[in-house]
Amino acid sequence: MRPRWGNRVGLLLVGLALVAGGFGLLAIVRRRPGAVLIDASVADGKPWALPLLAGAAMVLALVATRWLLMALGWGRVGSRTGAGIAMLGVALKGIDGIGRISVRLVRDGRVRVSVSLRRSADLRQVIRRLDESAVSRVRRAVGSDDALAVVRLHVRRR
């Protein structure tokens, strides 16, 4: 599953669970006005129960916050370079099966190159083209001829 679909499905499930819980609480309050929503007698005689529930709620909140920040793209390192992407596209021109390409300039002047391939792509030809000319062209396009480059190839299942 692609990350954007995973995020959308996850957000949908969490949202539906929260809406269902809210409607359930509203239904309880409407049936019996003045009723206690949470019965604290469960925690009587168990001094560890309330701190455990509070800790679990905090961990859940932190995980959900991190997930949302990552979905917004705040965890990505570096900045995209249009010139690098264009040069990579020119270098890989003519190869069938290229899906998505990305070039990021990371801290310390390093370059990250990501190429997503379909199953039908000729992997040997892609690697040969990257090794012979594409990476050096991308380095020149971003203005760092001696920068370290990390190339990530992703072959899709479908």
Side-chain angles (χ1 to χ4, degrees):
M1 184 181 286
R2 294 189 179 141
R4 63 177 179 263
W5 284 105
N7 285 330
R8 290 176 183 166
V9 169
L11 286 172
L12 175 71
L13 293 175
V14 169
L16 287 175
L18 289 173
V19 167
F23 279 127
L25 288 176
L26 283 175
I28 289 172
V29 169
R30 281 204 165 173
R31 270 190 262 143
R32 294 182 280 158
V36 178
L37 293 179
I38 298 174
D39 185 17
S41 66
V42 174
D44 288 342
K46 299 173 189 161
W48 50 267
L50 290 179
L52 180 71
L53 288 174
M58 285 181 62
V59 167
L60 182 65
L62 288 173
V63 168
T65 302
R66 182 186 181 280
W67 174 35
L68 288 173
L69 289 176
M70 294 300 283
L72 290 173
W74 288 8
R76 292 195 180 130
V77 177
S79 59
R80 293 181 67 193
T81 62
I85 294 171
M87 192 54 67
L88 183 63
V90 168
L92 296 178
K93 185 177 181 181
I95 299 176
D96 291 333
I98 302 289
R100 211 178 73 190
I101 58 175
S102 172
V103 176
R104 287 189 167 285
L105 193 57
V106 188
R107 291 180 235 134
D108 303 331
R110 291 179 293 153
V111 178
R112 279 192 189 169
V113 177
S114 297
V115 180
S116 177
L117 305 169
R118 294 187 197 99
R119 286 183 80 174
S120 62
D122 184 9
L123 192 58
R124 287 187 181 138
Q125 186 179 11
V126 172
I127 292 172
R128 187 179 67 237
R129 188 87 56 96
L130 284 168
D131 189 36
E132 289 174 357
S133 63
V135 175
S136 60
R137 284 184 179 186
V138 168
R139 284 180 183 153
R140 278 193 302 268
V142 298
S144 352
D145 290 340
D146 58 343
L148 294 175
V150 175
V151 179
R152 182 175 158 239
L153 295 175
H154 178 258
V155 180
R156 297 186 201 165
R157 291 183 191 164
R158 296 179 199 150

